[in-house]
Amino acid sequence: MTADSPVTALRELSLASAASASLRAVIRVGVADALGDSPMPVGELADTLGVDAAILVRVLRNLRCYGLFDDTGAGIVHTAASKLLREDHPERLKNWVLWVTEPWVWQLWPDLEQALRTGRGHFDERFGEDFFTQLHKEWPESTETFNRSQTELSVLTSAAIADALDVADVKTFTDVGGGRGYTLATILERHPHLHGTLVDLPAAVATPDPRLRPGGELAARSQVVAGDCLTEIPVDADVYQFKSILEWDDELTVKALGNAKRAGHPGSRVLIITNLIDDSPEPRYATGIDLLFLLNTNGKRHTKAGVTALAERAGLRVENVTPAGTLLHIVEAVIP
Ligand SMILES: C[S@@+](CC[C@H](N)C(=O)[O-])C[C@H]1O[C@@H](n2cnc3c(N)ncnc32)[C@H](O)[C@@H]1O
């Protein structure tokens, strides 16, 4: 059997979840942070972490197949990919990996069969609440991981968004579902004439980005508002940004965009910033997260045509779809 034979490909794919589980386990016990720049014998690494050395060897052996961690003979070393699991890495993805491997995620995957049979996700029936209510009420540790993971993703994309935005002629900018506000803060820094409002659920805005807090360097040009965009968006603004928030049930997307239309004025712009599934440079990632959205919020990664149709259903006029960096697109609509 060669490494690229269909039999091998299928056998390996069927156990891809072992790699996800290994990734989560090494983060939880702290392998990436314990490992510095020089090789560390696996026994010493295990002793430092207080874990079983023989199992650590096996877990690292699995991750090595995917390019994470290496064994030089003198000991275990980082690779470029495993370094992204370190707390101090500027492009850290540690919380993102934890988020998509949370215990409730493993509970949800078997529901894919039911979704196939019924045409929708069944999160509410399994947990008795909609996804965000359940997350904030029952899983506070997971909520913290989620908010951190969103900031990690924003660190990767915010500069490209701030560069791509044409906001010379606008004064007020509202980021709806903006999480802790990393992206809004980056945009306000890049465009010093803008005033910004961060709107998100109370659990997300409880600890906003330090730049937006009272005394922070952007405090005078920003406000942080706890609000539910499915009920009302409590700000009249020239621009409403929805970044990576409309990947939930289509009816909710239309409702949220409709609330932006009600809150704004004719000529206000609505920017939907998202990873379009039909134009993604990471098809395995994009199609995978699309299925997780199906199972948690009955949502999806959008196609260009799909998101345009939803914006139009909400009464907006879509004018442009442009890339923002390599990972995201800006779908630009106007309130007629
Ligand atoms: C995937 S995160 C994206 C966060 C941020 N826009 C970013 O790109 O980093 C989705 C965000 O939507 C927020 N959210 C969910 N339901 C909401 C609602 N009904 N009203 C306002 N925000 C909501 C969540 O709290 C979360 O911060």
Side-chain angles (χ1 to χ4, degrees):
M1 218 59 66
T2 61
D4 55 359
S5 82
V7 169
T8 297
L10 193 54
R11 278 158 59 89
E12 290 182 351
L13 177 60
S14 67
L15 276 170
S17 52
S20 305
S22 297
L23 260 183
R24 180 176 180 84
V26 297
I27 293 176
R28 296 278 302 177
V29 302
V31 172
D33 289 317
L35 204 55
D37 290 331
S38 33
M40 194 187 245
V42 75
E44 189 186 326
L45 185 56
D47 285 348
T48 306
L49 299 170
V51 302
D52 186 277
I55 306 283
L56 183 59
V57 168
R58 291 162 65 183
V59 168
L60 292 177
R61 202 186 274 143
N62 177 254
L63 288 176
R64 204 152 59 240
C65 304
Y66 296 89
L68 279 101
F69 303 104
D70 206 352
D71 187 349
T72 62
I76 307 297
V77 290
H78 267 300
T79 59
S82 66
K83 277 186 185 158
L84 300 178
L85 304 178
R86 281 187 63 89
E87 186 67 34
D88 59 2
H89 197 286
E91 293 185 336
R92 187 185 67 193
L93 284 173
K94 171 181 170 178
N95 291 286
W96 172 254
V97 174
L98 287 174
W99 170 243
V100 290
T101 58
E102 288 284 71
W104 53 265
V105 174
W106 298 94
Q107 270 180 282
L108 283 179
W109 284 125
D111 293 354
L112 198 50
E113 177 183 339
Q114 196 188 3
L116 261 178
R117 295 188 190 284
T118 61
R120 62 187 176 85
H122 291 268
F123 186 96
D124 306 27
E125 288 138 63
R126 179 183 271 284
F127 292 105
E129 299 276 13
D130 70 83
F131 173 66
F132 280 107
T133 305
Q134 172 74 10
L135 176 66
H136 294 157
K137 247 174 55 184
E138 302 296 336
W139 300 327
E141 202 183 318
S142 211
T143 300
E144 179 61 24
T145 302
F146 175 56
N147 289 325
R148 287 178 186 215
S149 75
Q150 297 311 303
T151 300
E152 287 176 355
L153 295 188
S154 292
V155 168
L156 296 180
T157 55
S158 290
I161 293 170
D163 286 345
L165 288 179
D166 177 7
V167 285
D169 60 335
V170 304
K171 292 193 176 73
T172 52
F173 190 101
T174 291
D175 194 356
V176 184
R180 289 184 165 166
Y182 182 91
T183 302
L184 179 64
T186 307
I187 291 168
L188 293 180
E189 277 177 344
R190 191 65 54 88
H191 301 283
H193 68 287
L194 281 184
H195 283 251
T197 304
L198 174 68
V199 180
D200 204 304
L201 296 172
V205 296
T207 45
D209 188 285
R211 292 167 289 179
L212 304 177
R213 290 180 204 165
E217 58 259 44
L218 297 168
R221 288 197 286 127
S222 62
Q223 56 174 342
V224 177
V225 177
D228 176 352
C229 70
L230 295 174
T231 307
E232 185 196 12
I233 297 173
V235 209
D236 181 5
D238 299 328
V239 177
Y240 295 91
Q241 170 173 279
F242 291 83
K243 172 173 165 273
S244 306
I245 154 169
L246 300 177
E247 283 91 359
W248 51 20
D249 187 272
D250 282 354
E251 295 313 308
L252 301 186
T253 294
V254 173
K255 203 176 209 181
L257 293 174
N259 283 341
K261 182 170 177 246
R262 266 180 288 284
H265 49 266
S268 289
R269 280 144 69 189
V270 175
L271 307 178
I272 304 169
I273 303 188
T274 189
N275 180 316
L276 292 175
I277 200 166
D278 46 351
D279 203 8
S280 172
E282 303 172 322
R284 288 185 184 171
Y285 173 87
T287 54
I289 199 72
D290 176 55
L291 296 177
L292 185 53
F293 288 150
L294 166 66
L295 299 183
N296 63 18
T297 58
N298 192 33
K300 57 163 75 95
R301 273 267 186 254
H302 294 288
T303 60
K304 190 170 168 178
V307 72
T308 299
L310 292 174
E312 284 171 356
R313 256 181 69 196
L316 303 172
R317 190 174 68 238
V318 175
E319 300 208 317
N320 247 323
V321 182
T322 47
T326 51
L327 297 177
L328 296 172
H329 279 80
I330 303 178
V331 179
E332 185 174 344
V334 174
I335 299 178

